[in-house]
Amino acid sequence: MTELQRGGARAALLPLAAFLAVAFGFHAWLEFRGAGMHGVDGYFHTKLARLYATGEVLPWARHFKWMSFSSINDLRCDWQLGYHLLLVPFTWFGLLVGGKLSAAFFAALIPTVVFGILRAERVRFAWAFAALLLLSAEYYLVRIHLPRPTSPVVALLLLASYFAARGRMRALFLCLLAMLVTYAVPHNAIALLVVAAVATRIADGVLRPRLVFTIAAALLAGMLLHPGFWQWRGAFFGTDHALFNVWRQLSGTLEAAENGDRIRIGGEWVTMHAPAEFASLAFGEILEQFLAPLIVFACAVALGLAALRRRRDAVWLTVCGMAAAYFVLFLQHVRFAEYWVPFTVLAAGLCAQRVLAGGARRTAGIALAFVLGGAALVPGVGAVRAAADTLENDAGIGLEYERPMRWLAENTPEDAIVFHARWPQFCPMFFFNDHNRYIVGLDSYFLYQHDEEKYRRWMQITLGELDPESTRDAIREFDSRHVLVKRGIPLDLILQRAPATLPMYEDATFRVYELR
């Protein structure tokens, strides 16, 4: 590479680095408004990354001893392997701080990728379009601050969509491969295959066989290279493991009740005919929560229809197709806002560049941008304030487990099973104490899958359906002598009256009982 080429590369990377720094600063400000992590899953992901770093757990290990009654322990598969490996450097800053830094960094990657694509397409004011992601919707801003693999997956999917449209097959293959190793769920790659094939067919007049082959090859390579495929290959193709079975995720549900609710599997790719989270929201509430991205989406649709008459190219057709696809899914399940909002902003920028260029059109475009930008800015600022308040109020969840879990680590034998009443408790319990073992975590479905009878028994105990003596005997069926409960729940009230059951630890939130 010549000195001129190196200088050009530095000049191209400098704006990206500057934008990433600004976006990271913004998301770090949001993230560190609270003391703990937002949501409980991040406690599990961060702790597992630390165990990978220390070698206490190997990524290809077939068992996960900390969930004693779980199909994950029966046949473990880290379907988020790449994400956990990405978290390892962040754990060097400490588990809690590292988890929060990772959430801010991966959230900042999404607008940075949008900015980079818009700059590559020579879109004027690319920074302004990308900044719309920082002023979007409370739900979107809160969701991307969950320490989960969705944020890096969205960033990689945005890049993959651009590379697919531009015909850069090697980059497309590597992006999709990284995406599948990060989060071994193939649905997003399949969606891109369909949308990109249709978009390029419209733009070029012919189907691009290399595009279809590259995406299909990346899907195959991602499954074959991922250790989880070999450990749970039956889960990809069989009917026993709903977590990885695409058809059951999209068309069926497990009719098992958990405190009156359906068990729903597969993160954002839940069953599409299950009750959507919008079912309880009125139309006005939907507008209130997503007004800014809805304004941008309406702008993208209008500009896209205008651009369709003037010029058809694969880039904006692919991006608009992805935005439309995820908008439909967003209406089915609100979690798809994490995908829909970034694709909408990218589509608006690309369509604006293609329609509003030169002369009177340029003047009209600038005027329209000011009107729409102002209309989106007001709810966008409100969304940032609401997200900041939500993250500040919710980010303490999980920290209250530190003291009781330290007590259990110091006063119980190694690998002693601690009984707990709710599966979300596992993540902070595991985060603060890997000395003990627990019942189930991440989803109660894994207990149901491991042993349906045990699952029913666990439900009877946790819902307080048994008398005190029967409750004590039922807990012993789980090989547990210690029970962690929140004060005042039905199980706590029953254990206070159970024979040979003593409270050994208590604070303002929890009690630990020992069964004698």
Side-chain angles (χ1 to χ4, degrees), residues 65-403:
K65 69 177 184 178
W66 290 276
M67 295 186 201
S68 302
F69 298 90
S70 167
S71 55
I72 290 180
N73 187 30
D74 300 334
L75 187 54
R76 176 179 176 268
C77 166
D78 187 356
W79 58 94
Q80 297 160 337
L81 171 65
Y83 176 65
H84 294 141
L85 296 179
L86 289 173
L87 286 180
V88 167
F90 292 97
T91 65
W92 300 339
F93 297 94
L95 284 182
L96 190 58
V97 173
K100 293 172 74 64
L101 284 174
S102 72
F105 178 78
F106 291 126
L109 274 185
I110 298 174
T112 303
V113 168
V114 170
F115 173 66
I117 293 174
L118 292 176
R119 272 183 57 84
E121 289 296 296
R122 303 182 184 279
V123 175
R124 294 176 63 108
F125 306 109
W127 62 269
F129 282 104
L132 287 174
L133 283 173
L134 308 181
L135 304 168
S136 50
E138 176 192 358
Y139 183 89
Y140 168 78
L141 291 172
V142 169
R143 287 290 301 179
I144 62 171
H145 274 268
L146 292 173
R148 297 167 56 249
T150 306
S151 293
V153 164
V154 171
L156 287 167
L157 185 61
L158 288 164
L159 283 172
S161 302
Y162 179 68
F163 292 143
R166 279 289 172 219
R168 297 173 62 177
M169 296 305 156
R170 183 178 301 176
L172 170 63
F173 179 85
L174 293 175
C175 265
L176 289 179
L177 185 61
M179 188 175 76
L180 289 164
V181 172
T182 300
Y183 189 21
V185 176
H187 311 80
N188 295 307
I190 295 172
L192 176 60
L193 172 62
V194 174
V195 171
V198 172
T200 53
R201 173 68 175 82
I202 294 173
D204 302 342
V206 293
L207 185 67
R208 295 184 186 176
R210 286 187 64 210
L211 172 67
V212 176
F213 173 79
T214 300
I215 298 178
L219 274 166
L220 181 61
M223 288 193 297
L224 293 178
L225 293 178
H226 198 289
F229 175 80
W230 300 103
Q231 294 171 14
W232 265 27
R233 51 190 175 275
F236 282 89
F237 303 112
T239 58
D240 293 335
H241 304 299
L243 185 62
F244 287 113
N245 189 278
V246 178
W247 176 250
R248 283 185 68 185
Q249 283 187 16
L250 295 179
S251 65
T253 57
L254 176 66
E255 298 292 344
E258 181 202 342
N259 295 350
D261 298 323
R262 273 181 182 171
I263 295 175
R264 301 170 76 181
I265 306 300
E268 66 276 7
W269 288 98
V270 297
T271 52
M272 292 295 103
H273 77 263
E277 292 185 29
F278 272 156
S280 60
L281 294 181
F283 182 71
E285 292 175 309
I286 297 173
L287 285 179
E288 181 182 357
Q289 292 192 28
F290 293 95
L291 182 56
L294 283 171
I295 291 172
V296 176
F297 184 69
C299 175
V301 170
L303 293 173
L305 291 175
L308 193 61
R309 294 183 177 183
R310 297 190 60 203
R311 178 186 175 190
R312 299 181 181 183
D313 69 74
V315 174
W316 70 262
L317 280 173
T318 300
V319 172
C320 287
M322 294 294 283
Y326 282 113
F327 179 69
V328 173
L329 293 171
F330 162 72
L331 294 178
Q332 292 288 319
H333 196 287
V334 71
R335 286 190 179 188
F336 284 99
E338 299 165 63
Y339 297 84
W340 167 62
V341 172
F343 273 106
T344 290
V345 170
L346 182 57
L350 292 173
C351 291
Q353 183 233 19
R354 283 155 175 76
V355 175
L356 308 172
R361 287 182 180 274
R362 183 167 178 266
T363 304
I366 294 174
L368 179 62
F370 272 105
V371 172
L372 289 173
L377 184 63
V378 175
V381 171
V384 172
R385 290 176 177 172
D389 291 341
T390 299
L391 290 168
E392 183 175 3
N393 294 331
D394 291 355
I397 296 175
L399 296 181
E400 69 273 20
Y401 286 85
E402 182 175 5
R403 289 177 59 197

